[in-house]
Amino acid sequence: MLIYNQHPIRSLSNHSPLKVYRGNNTLDIFLKQYSNEGRKDRTYDIKVSQTIGQCIAGKRNGLFNSDICPNFTLKYKEYNFVVLPLTVEEYQIGQLYSVGKASKELTNADEGVEIRKNEPFENVELLGGKYTKGQYTLKNYYVRKRLPTFIQNLLPGKIKIKVEEEAWNAYPYCKTVLTKTGSISFKITVETFHAAGAGDLENALSLDDETLKKRKVVYIDIANAKIAEEDYKLNEDPTKFKSEKTGRGPLTDSWKESVKPLMTCYKLIRCDAPVLGLQRILEPFAINQQEQIFLNFHRKLFCSLDEWYGMTMQDIRAYETRVQQELKDKQYTDKKDSEQENEKKHDQDDKKDEKENEMCM
């Protein structure tokens, strides 16, 4: 699930906010970095040596022309452990419910989620053939306002970007692929395995030795991890929440040592942002975004426990059908309201102009 975060630039360590200038298909990126000694300004001018069009022309269907874009090799791999006070079976219900709820919260006339497909799949080999069937979803995310400023500056006019999400949910394994094509393109692949325990599995996703060496392991604590002030909500704080149905919560500093049950989401993130000169910024930025998404999403999931606890998979499928229709209705209603508001504003402007003309006469 893609959830937007409007304040990620602060998380780029040792860097101040980024300014990007767009023109003549060539990007000039000016990155201000403060030195450790005396906090003196140092400016790095990263010149993109070839046009975006040339680089994108060398990349088709996941392939690239190394002669045109020889530096398209940077990829980030990160391994996240998210521990939750739930059973594996409970999490399956809670995760699907929370995705639907988040989709409704994010959707309006200008931005949001479009669910194109939600159907069973078979004969798709996942995790080396260990899983072959489950539920497939195809979604479009339309965003602009929630994008960080430096990406908005690369987009012409008021254009929105479309991010496509494909997910193969063969629970307890799931694979999600987020793809954005065009001049600013990227691909993020997230593989997840869900298991009981507090992060005890060393290699839950059966990674090869090379990936194990390169991965960066991050432990996400939904109760104690720092969260942006803008994202904080009292009713989504696991240190304040207590479930009436289960008695779980609030979660204290050392909650994982005393709370039962426990389960872990093991997540591997791969990111490829093949835009020459930008990949060293976009890829770690996208990885950091995913960390924030996982943290915020799972805080909400736990604190909504009483909303979905006791639901069956049949209940969830019916809920997903309702959500899909509600998203369509919401987009139509909000768009109609927006158009009416614009017409009202235009009428007011016309009357104002008429009044000023009368005064001039």
Side-chain angles (χ1 to χ4, degrees), residues 32-44:
K32 259 188 182 179
Q33 185 180 38
Y34 296 95
S35 65
N36 293 327
E37 298 180 4
R39 307 297 292 174
K40 294 181 180 178
D41 287 353
R42 291 158 56 195
T43 302
Y44 296 85

Side-chain angles (χ1 to χ4, degrees), residues 51-78:
T51 65
I52 292 176
Q54 285 177 310
C55 295
I56 299 303
K59 187 173 186 298
R60 291 289 183 265
N61 300 320
L63 303 175
F64 64 87
N65 185 329
S66 59
D67 293 331
I68 296 177
C69 304
N71 297 320
F72 280 8
T73 57
L74 185 63
K75 290 182 175 64
Y76 277 76
K77 299 180 178 69
E78 187 150 327

Side-chain angles (χ1 to χ4, degrees), residues 5-36:
N5 188 324
Q6 200 172 1
H7 316 283
I9 295 299
R10 294 191 305 271
S11 62
L12 290 174
S13 60
N14 300 325
H15 294 81
S16 66
L18 186 68
K19 294 183 179 179
V20 180
Y21 303 88
R22 187 175 187 272
N24 300 324
N25 289 326
T26 302
L27 298 177
D28 294 326
I29 306 164
F30 298 93
L31 186 60
K32 259 188 182 179
Q33 185 180 38
Y34 296 95
S35 65
N36 293 327

Side-chain angles (χ1 to χ4, degrees), residues 1-2 96 99 103 112-121 134-142 162-169 174-180 317 320 323-324 327-328 331:
M1 168 79 188
L2 174 67
L96 294 172
V99 165
S103 297
V113 186
E114 176 191 12
I115 302 174
R116 295 168 56 190
K117 291 183 181 180
N118 186 0
E119 61 193 22
F121 74 85
Q135 194 77 6
Y136 170 79
T137 56
L138 174 62
K139 302 177 183 179
N140 287 340
Y141 293 88
Y142 298 95
K162 181 179 77 173
V163 179
E164 183 179 88
E165 178 194 88
E166 288 187 281
W168 295 264
N169 191 341
C174 183
K175 180 179 180 179
T176 303
V177 179
L178 299 164
T179 307
K180 163 68 179 72
R317 294 302 176 216
E320 289 177 331
V323 168
Q324 187 170 0
L327 293 179
K328 292 180 180 179
Q331 287 173 320

Side-chain angles (χ1 to χ4, degrees), residues 246-260:
T246 68
R248 299 173 204 169
L251 303 183
T252 62
D253 290 344
S254 56
W255 65 273
K256 284 180 280 188
E257 298 175 5
S258 57
V259 174
K260 300 293 181 183

